Amino acid sequence: MPRQSPRRPQTQTQTHTRTHTHPVDELLPIPRLALYGFQHVLAFYAAAVIVPVLLGNALGLSRQELVHLINADLLTCGLASIIQALGFWKVGARLPLVQGVTFTAVSPMIAIGTGAGGGTAGLLVVYGAVTTAGMATFLFAPLFSKLVKYFPPVVIGTILTIIGITLIPVALQDAAGGAHLIGTPAYGDPKNLAYALGTLLFILAVARIGKPFLSSLAVLLGLVVGTAVAWLFGDADFAAVRESDWFGVTTPFHYGMPRFELLPIVAMLVVVLITMVETTGDVYAIGEITRKKVDADTVARALRADGAATVLGGVLNSFPYVAFAENIGLVRMSKVMSRYVVVAAGVFMVVLGLLPKAGSLVASVPHPVLGGAAVSMFGIVAAVGVQILGKADLREERNTLILAVSLGAALLPTTVAPFFARMPDDLRAVLDSGITLGALTAIALNLLFNVFTRRTTREIDWEGMGEDEAPEAEFGAHPAR
C-alpha cells in the first residue's frame, strides 16, 4: 500500500473566501481620489459660499467679517463631509454625501439676525439657535430614524423632486450671470447664456462619448474648460486671488459667545426638522444610486452627523448642515461611488478654509459656467426623486394628490412672494422656502391620507431596497478601476 503523505494544513490564502468590496467602500488610488474629490469641491463651491454671502450682506457685515464667514463655512463643510463619509462610532452614514449649508435655513437665519439688530449682534443670536438645533438633531436622531415608515417613497420621492425643481432656478440664475446682476443689463446677456450652454454641452459630450474615466470627470473638465474660455475672452476675473491672504485661521466663537433666545430657537428647530426629512431623502437617494443597503440605523447615523456638524457650525461661526443635492447628482453622473472621494473633498475644503487665496481661485469660476454645470446636477436630483416615485403607486389618487399639491406648495414662495412678505417675521422665517413648504405639505398629506386612514394600496418598503437588489456582477463595473 503506497504511503500517503501527511496532509498539509491549509494556509490563510487557501482558506480565504473571495469577497466583493462594495464601490462605496472602495479606496481608490490617491491621484484619482484627488481628482474626483476636487471635482466635488468645484461642483459644491458656488452653492456653499452663497449662503454666508447672502446672510452677511443681509446683516450688513463688513468685507473682512464676510471673508471670515466664508472661510469658516468652508472649513466646517470639510469637517462635516469627513464626519459623514468616514464615520466614527454611531456618527456618519459612511456614504458619499458631501455636506453643505442647507438653503432651508437661509431665510430663517436672515429673519433671526435682522430681528436681533443685524451685524455681529444678530449673528450671535443665529449661532445660539443653530447650536441648540444641532444638539436637538443629534439627540433626536435615533427616534426620528424609527419614523422612517411614515416617509414612504411617495414622500421621499416628492421631497427630492421638489429639491431638484426648486434649485434648478438657482442654477439658471447663475447661467444668466448670477443673482447679484439681477436688474442690470448684464443679467441674461446672451454671452452669459452662451458660456452656460457651452459648458453644459461640453459636459454632455464628454459623458456621452468619453471613456469611462473621462466621463467620470465630465463636470470637472466642463468647469475647467468653461473657465479657460471665459478667461480667453476676458470674462474670468482672478483679481480677488491676488488680493486674498495666504493663510487664515477660524477661531471658535470669533464674534463672541452665542445668545440663546426662545423664538429664534423654535424657528431653527422647525428648520432642522425639515432638514432631517431632507437628509432622510438624501440618504435613500444615494442608497438608490449606489445600490447600498440603507436602513433606519444608517439614517440615524446620518442625522447624528448632521447634528454634530451643526453644533460645530455654531462653535466655528457657521451654519446648519445637510447633504448637498448637486453632489448627489454628481455621484450619479460620474458613477464614482467611493465615500473616500468625499473624504478627499473634505480635506480640500478644510485647506480652502485655511487658505483664502486658494479659495478665491476656486471662487473665480464664472457664474455662467457654474450655472451650466449645475443645471444638469440639480436636474439629476429631480430625476432621482422621480425614480423613487416610481416605487409608489401613483395610480392611487391619494398618492397623486400628495405629489401634486406638494409641488404646487413648493412653487408658492417663488411665484407669489408678496404673500409671505405680509406674514409675521417668525412665521415667514419658517415658511418662506419652497423646500420647507413642499416638504411640510408632503408629510402632512401623507399622514392624512396614508397614516390616519386605512391604506388599500401597497408600496415598496424602504427596508427592502438597496444592496440586495444589485447583482454582485455590478460591483465589477466601477469606472474607476
Side-chain angles (χ1 to χ4, degrees):
M1 182 174 179
R3 182 181 179 184
Q4 293 182 343
S5 58
R7 188 175 182 180
R8 295 180 180 178
Q10 290 184 319
T11 64
Q12 184 177 359
T13 304
Q14 291 172 320
T15 57
H16 175 69
T17 302
R18 185 182 177 187
T19 59
H20 293 278
T21 299
H22 195 284
V24 165
D25 300 312
E26 185 178 9
L27 182 60
L28 305 180
I30 291 178
R32 291 190 177 181
L33 280 178
L35 269 176
Y36 294 137
F38 192 63
Q39 179 174 235
H40 272 290
V41 173
L42 286 177
F44 130 108
Y45 192 91
V49 300
I50 194 63
V51 174
V53 169
L54 289 173
L55 180 62
N57 289 337
L59 299 186
L61 299 183
S62 67
R63 183 183 181 277
Q64 184 178 4
E65 291 167 339
L66 184 58
V67 169
H68 187 277
L69 209 59
I70 293 172
N71 288 343
D73 178 35
L74 288 171
L75 175 67
T76 316
C77 282
L79 296 174
S81 297
I82 293 171
I83 291 171
Q84 188 70 274
L86 193 60
F88 67 92
W89 185 58
K90 296 181 179 181
V91 180
R94 297 178 176 87
L95 292 169
L97 292 168
V98 173
Q99 299 293 101
V101 183
T102 173
F103 282 90
T104 307
V106 175
S107 295
M109 288 192 298
I110 290 175
I112 291 170
T114 53
T120 56
L123 276 180
L124 296 180
V125 179
V126 170
Y127 292 145
V130 167
T131 303
T132 306
M135 292 178 180
T137 301
F138 189 93
L139 296 174
F140 191 54
L143 177 59
F144 189 89
S145 66
K146 295 177 181 178
L147 302 178
V148 167
K149 61 184 178 181
Y150 297 118
F151 305 107
V154 68
V155 173
I156 299 299
T158 297
I159 292 173
L160 285 172
T161 303
I162 286 170
I163 292 172
I165 290 175
T166 55
L167 290 180
I168 285 175
V170 177
L172 294 177
Q173 279 189 348
D174 274 335
H180 63 290
L181 294 181
I182 293 178
T184 69
Y187 186 73
D189 188 294
K191 179 173 61 175
N192 294 334
L193 298 175
Y195 285 137
L197 182 60
T199 301
L200 178 58
L201 291 177
F202 183 87
I203 290 171
L204 294 176
V206 173
R208 174 64 181 85
I209 64 178
K211 294 182 178 180
F213 178 66
L214 284 179
S215 296
S216 65
L217 292 171
V219 174
L220 174 61
L221 294 174
L223 291 170
V224 171
V225 171
T227 302
V229 172
W231 178 76
L232 288 174
F233 284 95
D235 293 316
D237 184 12
F238 295 98
V241 179
R242 295 190 297 270
E243 298 170 0
S244 299
D245 295 329
W246 277 105
F247 188 73
V249 179
T250 298
T251 55
F253 306 119
H254 175 77
Y255 301 102
M257 292 302 294
R259 289 168 48 197
F260 300 91
E261 298 183 5
L262 181 59
L263 287 179
I265 288 174
V266 171
M268 197 57 64
L269 287 175
V270 174
V271 168
V272 295
L273 176 63
I274 301 303
T275 60
M276 290 170 83
V277 178
E278 185 180 343
T279 291
T280 302
D282 290 335
V283 170
Y284 279 111
I286 203 70
E288 180 85 0
I289 291 169
T290 61
R291 293 293 189 180
K292 181 76 171 177
K293 182 175 176 58
V294 168
D295 54 20
D297 180 62
T298 311
V299 173
R301 286 187 279 111
L303 293 174
R304 286 194 191 98
D306 278 1
T310 300
V311 172
L312 194 62
V315 172
L316 294 178
N317 323 294
S318 195
F319 315 101
Y321 286 90
V322 72
F324 253 35
E326 58 263 57
N327 292 88
I328 293 175
L330 180 56
V331 172
R332 176 68 174 269
M333 285 186 68
S334 67
K335 297 182 177 65
V336 179
M337 304 175 188
S338 171
R339 59 192 173 101
Y340 297 104
V341 169
V342 172
V343 175
V347 173
F348 276 123
M349 294 175 212
V350 170
V351 171
L352 290 173
L354 297 175
L355 300 175
K357 193 175 287 291
S360 296
L361 179 62
V362 179
S364 298
V365 177
H367 282 274
V369 174
L370 284 169
V375 165
S376 61
M377 291 183 290
F378 288 148
I380 283 179
V381 174
V384 172
V386 172
Q387 181 178 340
I388 291 176
L389 281 170
K391 299 178 182 297
D393 185 4
L394 292 181
R395 294 170 299 180
E396 168 59 49
E397 184 180 7
R398 292 174 297 178
N399 290 337
T400 303
L401 284 173
I402 292 172
L403 172 61
V405 176
S406 300
L407 287 174
L411 295 176
L412 184 59
T414 56
T415 53
V416 193
F419 174 75
F420 294 90
R422 297 185 177 97
M423 284 185 175
D425 290 343
D426 294 332
L427 189 58
R428 188 173 73 246
V430 176
L431 297 180
D432 192 11
S433 163
I435 296 174
T436 302
L437 199 57
L440 285 175
T441 303
I443 294 168
L445 290 179
N446 180 66
L447 290 174
L448 175 63
F449 289 147
N450 294 329
V451 177
F452 298 148
T453 57
R454 183 179 296 276
R455 297 174 59 187
T456 57
T457 59
R458 179 179 179 273
E459 290 182 346
I460 295 177
D461 187 355
W462 283 121
E463 300 294 335
M465 289 174 51
E467 197 172 56
D468 294 338
E469 295 182 358
E472 288 187 348
E474 279 196 318
F475 291 177
H478 197 286
R481 291 186 175 181

